[in-house]
Amino acid sequence: MRMKKLSTLLFLIGFLNWCFGQSYGDSLSIKPSAVVDAATPSITINWPADADATNFVIYRKAKGATSWGTALATLPGSTSTYTDLSVSINTLYDYKIQMTSGATPDKYGYLSSGIEVVANSNRGIAIVVVDDAYLGDSEFESALFQFTDDLDRDGWFVKKIFVNNADNASTVKSEIQTVYNEDPSNTKMLILVGNVAVPHSGNLNPDGHSDHQGAWPTDLFYADMNGNWTDASVNNTTSSNTLNHNIPGDGNTDQSYLPSDVELQTGRIDLSDLPAFSISEKDLLIRYFQKDHLYKTGQLIVGEQALIDDNFTSYAEGFSQSGYNNFTTMFGNANVVMNDYFTQTSFNTSTTGTYLWSYGCGGGTYNSAGGIGSATNFAADSLSAVFTMLFGSYFGDWDYSNAFLRAPLAQGYTLTNCWAGRPCWYFNHMSMGENIGYSTRLSQNNSSLYFSSTIGGLARMISINLMGDPSLRMFYIQPPINLTVNSTGNSVALNWTAGGSEIGYNIYRRYADSTQYEKLNSSLITATNYTDNSLNQAGTVYYYVKAVEMKITASGSYENESIGAKDSAISTVSIVEEHTVELLLYPNPTSAYLRIENQENLIGLNYTITDQTGKIVLNGKLNNQSIDVRTLPAGVYVFTLSEAALKAVYFTKM
């Protein structure tokens, strides 16, 4: 039974309780939102009036900048709005609003905003590490393929690694680093699927409990590609949970704080050891992949509002700031309500509709939070919140049976969760189209750029982790349907059917041997067809047609893309660099023999045929000017002659 009171296992807090009544999370939040105007152009930031305010200081920086610089304006405490007229269309801006007061701590609000920001779907490389326990199971492999294919359709080039759940964390990290080092500048994201080894690190207890001090689980160990993680100095076995014990040489690392910034946006989809649920881990993973797909294809419709259930209202740290300050940037202050977490997000009992986001906090155990519920409650219910945050004692440690932090992912629509309160998390960039992994990495790497907590020592703790798919964006629309791709010579014609209420389309192209998604149109296409006459490389070419809406949120406006409708074609463009002898291969494509027509006799020269990965599949000496390629599988190949002044020529085997 869920009790609307604090758990008897109370949180140890560094601040005294100042009063009972209004939530400190509410009172410490500025709760900003914005209205944008393309005609002016201008961005007007609004926030609720605050009787405690002496003044408000407004800062602005470019997205990704590491300093706020000089203040834009200092406003009197009676102010509740600011209009920025020095803005441009299609530019993202970050804002900080700082309120000073003699009676209360400074308050902070952050906002990402822009006007009609154009989409960019060239997102980077995503490493997907998969526990191999269910390889060979056709149902699991089909669901996994759909998951990775959706990543590709959303602009993430996927590289998969399969590991065994008996592999230790150091072994898994070594494999991740090997793949990362293939292309460090473009590798941006890491997704852990299944019961992948859980790293533990540090000598910390961010929940304040002395019987929970030691090594906490952390995927930041995997996300950090160049930090120095040691296993030599910490020696602590006092925790009541043996998984937290940490002694030199045991494989649990020493660091309680990040030794360097993490490079990878990281999330874990781990539904192992959840006996409260009546179905198997494999089926829970399949169900997760299915709802992830439905959400990304615009088939799960959820109300654009957020719910906060704060059972720590009298604790001066104001844990629920992570709810209030983020949610107003997404939906506006009027669409953020304080109510019961389970009752109002449940499809079975809600009287106020569905919720895209939720936040809940209360005194906790490893598998429950006072005033919220337990892992068993999650197993028995179905909640609408796609994104959620939970906070309380003990369950920030998620390597535990029926772990309360992982359990939400196994039910309802929920796809992500995190332990948010010590420190604050920042999801405001999601209001302008960013994926949740971007916000995760920002929150993990944050030192002083964003407010962390009213108490010190919480920034960059290794306990800041994301459960769920880090590629998820907040808003999706239905993709186009019935895409067909037909090639004639060097021209490719695309045709499709509208998927919904989109205002236009963006077209992307990716060659099979490339990690880059090339946008082909400079402005939105409003027709349902497109012809590509700009092919410049032979081989398989993938096309992605993405529906676009102009999404208006409580932060600004931007081009919101669907994931792509996808199809492929074969390009027969031949790339022949400068050479002294003309070379012609025919027929091209060919199904049996490749003939060489040339103005010079090439008999006796050595030839090599390689596939698109660079592997030599056929070689020898020319006895005549014809080569038997019947044994080669269908595909695109590269033909070279080693002793001639010739460069590579592509041909296609049918």
Side-chain angles (χ1 to χ4, degrees):
M1 176 182 296
R2 296 186 298 274
M3 301 297 292
K4 207 58 183 148
K5 61 183 181 180
L6 293 179
S7 167
T8 55
L9 187 59
L10 294 176
F11 226 58
L12 299 181
I13 302 297
F15 269 71
L16 296 174
N17 297 353
W18 292 353
C19 66
F20 292 88
Q22 183 186 21
S23 161
Y24 272 97
D26 184 353
S27 65
L28 287 175
S29 301
I30 289 180
K31 295 176 282 189
S33 59
V35 176
V36 299
D37 182 0
T40 311
S42 65
I43 296 173
T44 299
I45 305 170
N46 302 296
W47 59 89
D50 194 320
D52 293 333
T54 301
N55 59 48
F56 292 93
V57 185
I58 313 296
Y59 297 86
R60 190 187 79 186
K61 68 179 184 67
K63 180 186 175 185
T66 57
S67 171
W68 289 105
T70 305
L72 280 180
T74 299
L75 309 172
S78 58
T79 309
S80 60
T81 188
Y82 172 76
T83 298
D84 187 359
L85 295 170
S86 60
V87 296
S88 301
I89 292 175
N90 189 28
T91 304
L92 280 167
Y93 302 96
D94 288 349
Y95 292 93
K96 178 175 80 169
I97 306 101
Q98 181 175 356
M99 189 201 92
T100 61
S101 168
T104 62
D106 284 4
K107 304 177 185 181
Y108 298 87
Y110 300 90
L111 188 83
S112 176
S113 188
I115 307 169
E116 298 181 359
V117 179
V118 174
N120 176 18
S121 280
N122 201 47
R123 303 186 189 280
I125 295 170
I127 302 174
V128 180
V129 180
V130 183
D131 171 10
D132 66 6
Y134 304 113
L135 290 186
D137 183 287
S138 60
E139 190 179 12
F140 175 80
E141 289 190 347
S142 176
L144 177 64
F145 172 79
Q146 183 176 72
F147 175 71
T148 56
D149 190 52
D150 284 347
L151 291 171
D152 174 52
R153 291 169 186 258
D154 203 24
W156 295 98
F157 184 84
V158 176
K159 294 183 177 181
K160 290 195 288 288
I161 299 172
F162 293 98
V163 299
N164 190 275
N165 55 32
D167 293 340
N168 63 37
S170 293
T171 299
V172 174
K173 181 168 184 176
S174 178
E175 295 197 43
I176 293 168
Q177 284 183 307
T178 297
V179 175
Y180 173 82
N181 289 334
E182 293 172 355
D183 192 351
S185 62
N186 289 312
T187 305
K188 306 294 184 184
M189 192 166 68
L190 172 65
I191 307 176
L192 307 166
V193 175
N195 189 18
V196 177
V198 177
H200 287 71
S201 187
N203 186 19
L204 69 160
N205 59 336
D207 58 1
H209 290 281
S210 59
D211 67 344
H212 196 198
Q213 183 162 341
W216 275 43
T218 180
D219 287 329
L220 279 71
F221 175 75
Y222 291 140
D224 180 10
M225 292 290 95
N226 53 28
N228 184 26
W229 296 76
T230 59
D231 181 14
S233 60
V234 174
N235 193 343
N236 187 344
T237 59
T238 60
S239 173
S240 58
N241 180 3
T242 58
L243 290 174
N244 301 132
H245 293 178
N246 194 354
I247 61 176
D250 65 352
N252 293 341
T253 50
D254 301 320
Q255 282 62 42
S256 297
Y257 297 88
L258 273 175
S260 67
D261 283 357
V262 298
E263 284 73 32
L264 300 178
Q265 306 172 18
T266 301
R268 173 179 287 262
I269 307 168
D270 183 353
L271 302 177
S272 63
D273 197 13
L274 294 176
F277 293 83
S278 59
I279 63 176
S280 68
E281 176 193 359
K282 183 197 81 172
D283 290 335
L284 288 173
L285 285 169
I286 291 171
R287 191 163 72 178
Y288 182 93
F289 290 146
Q290 289 170 341
K291 66 181 176 181
D292 190 87
H293 172 72
L294 290 172
Y295 189 68
K296 287 181 176 179
T297 52
Q299 297 180 69
L300 297 185
I301 308 300
V302 185
E304 293 187 17
Q305 57 179 348
L307 180 142
I308 296 173
D309 188 355
D310 186 351
N311 295 280
F312 282 140
T313 58
S314 60
Y315 287 81
E317 285 181 60
F319 306 119
S320 59
Q321 290 176 78
S322 290
Y324 284 106
N325 267 334
N326 283 303
F327 294 163
T328 59
T329 72
M330 300 168 181
F331 313 120
N333 198 41
N335 294 311
V336 181
V337 300
M338 198 164 182
N339 215 316
D340 184 65
Y341 184 96
F342 267 86
T343 302
Q344 294 305 326
T345 63
S346 170
F347 287 109
N348 301 319
T349 57
S350 178
T351 59
T352 53
T354 55
Y355 292 83
L356 187 55
W357 273 90
S358 63
Y359 179 96
C361 62
T365 70
Y366 285 109
N367 46 40
S368 70
I372 307 298
S374 67
T376 301
N377 294 131
F378 279 119
D381 213 329
S382 180
L383 309 186
S384 63
V386 176
F387 306 95
T388 193
M389 293 178 268
L390 291 167
F391 184 70
S393 296
Y394 294 101
F395 64 79
D397 182 342
W398 40 266
D399 188 20
Y400 205 84
S401 183
N402 281 332
F404 193 58
L405 210 65
R406 293 187 290 113
L409 276 59
Q411 58 74 51
Y413 283 4
T414 306
L415 291 168
T416 72
N417 188 21
C418 63
W419 196 63
R422 281 187 164 181
C424 294
W425 281 62
Y426 291 97
F427 298 103
N428 49 289
H429 292 91
M430 294 184 71
S431 300
M432 291 300 296
E434 270 293 0
N435 60 296
I436 196 168
Y438 179 94
S439 300
T440 300
R441 181 175 177 269
L442 181 150
S443 300
Q444 291 165 340
N445 287 338
N446 177 47
S447 178
S448 58
L449 193 64
Y450 295 85
F451 173 74
S452 177
S453 174
T454 55
I455 63 173
L458 299 180
R460 295 174 67 86
M461 269 194 169
I462 56 87
S463 52
I464 311 171
N465 294 269
L466 179 72
M467 304 294 107
D469 175 5
S471 77
L472 283 159
R473 296 180 278 123
M474 200 155 64
F475 301 110
Y476 294 88
I477 60 174
Q478 293 182 3
I481 58 176
N482 303 323
L483 174 64
T484 60
V485 175
N486 296 294
S487 58
T488 304
N490 294 335
S491 179
V492 179
L494 289 72
N495 292 273
W496 62 89
T497 304
S501 58
E502 59 263 33
I503 60 172
Y505 306 91
N506 287 326
I507 314 296
Y508 295 86
R509 178 180 69 193
R510 181 177 65 81
Y511 292 101
D513 61 350
S514 174
T515 64
Q516 301 299 306
Y517 299 78
E518 180 183 3
K519 188 176 180 180
L520 299 181
N521 55 299
S522 57
S523 59
L524 283 182
I525 294 169
T526 56
T528 56
N529 58 80
Y530 179 84
T531 300
D532 179 14
N533 293 312
S534 62
L535 288 168
N536 55 21
Q537 181 176 322
T540 301
V541 186
Y542 294 101
Y543 288 94
Y544 307 80
V545 180
K546 301 187 178 186
V548 179
E549 68 171 354
M550 186 57 68
K551 182 66 181 177
I552 300 174
T553 71
S555 288
S557 59
Y558 68 95
E559 281 188 2
N560 181 39
E561 290 185 330
S562 71
I563 67 171
K566 176 184 175 184
D567 203 350
S568 63
I570 298 295
S571 168
T572 58
V573 173
S574 294
I575 307 300
V576 183
E577 300 179 18
E578 287 189 11
H579 51 77
T580 59
V581 180
E582 294 295 328
L583 180 65
L584 174 65
L585 304 180
Y586 73 95
N588 190 2
T590 182
S591 60
Y593 291 88
L594 188 67
R595 292 176 171 81
I596 305 169
E597 180 178 296
N598 202 77
Q599 66 215 30
E600 293 187 6
N601 182 17
L602 302 176
I603 301 300
L605 296 183
N606 293 305
Y607 71 88
T608 300
I609 296 175
T610 57
D611 64 17
Q612 288 288 283
T613 70
K615 178 183 177 182
I616 297 175
V617 295
L618 201 62
N619 59 10
K621 190 181 293 290
L622 286 177
N623 295 319
N624 52 54
Q625 294 191 212
S626 178
I627 301 170
D628 185 351
V629 294
R630 288 177 295 178
T631 60
L632 297 181
V636 177
Y637 297 88
V638 182
F639 177 88
T640 57
L641 285 172
S642 58
E643 296 97 344
L646 301 167
K647 300 298 183 184
V649 177
Y650 289 84
F651 73 92
T652 300
K653 167 63 167 46
M654 296 187 297

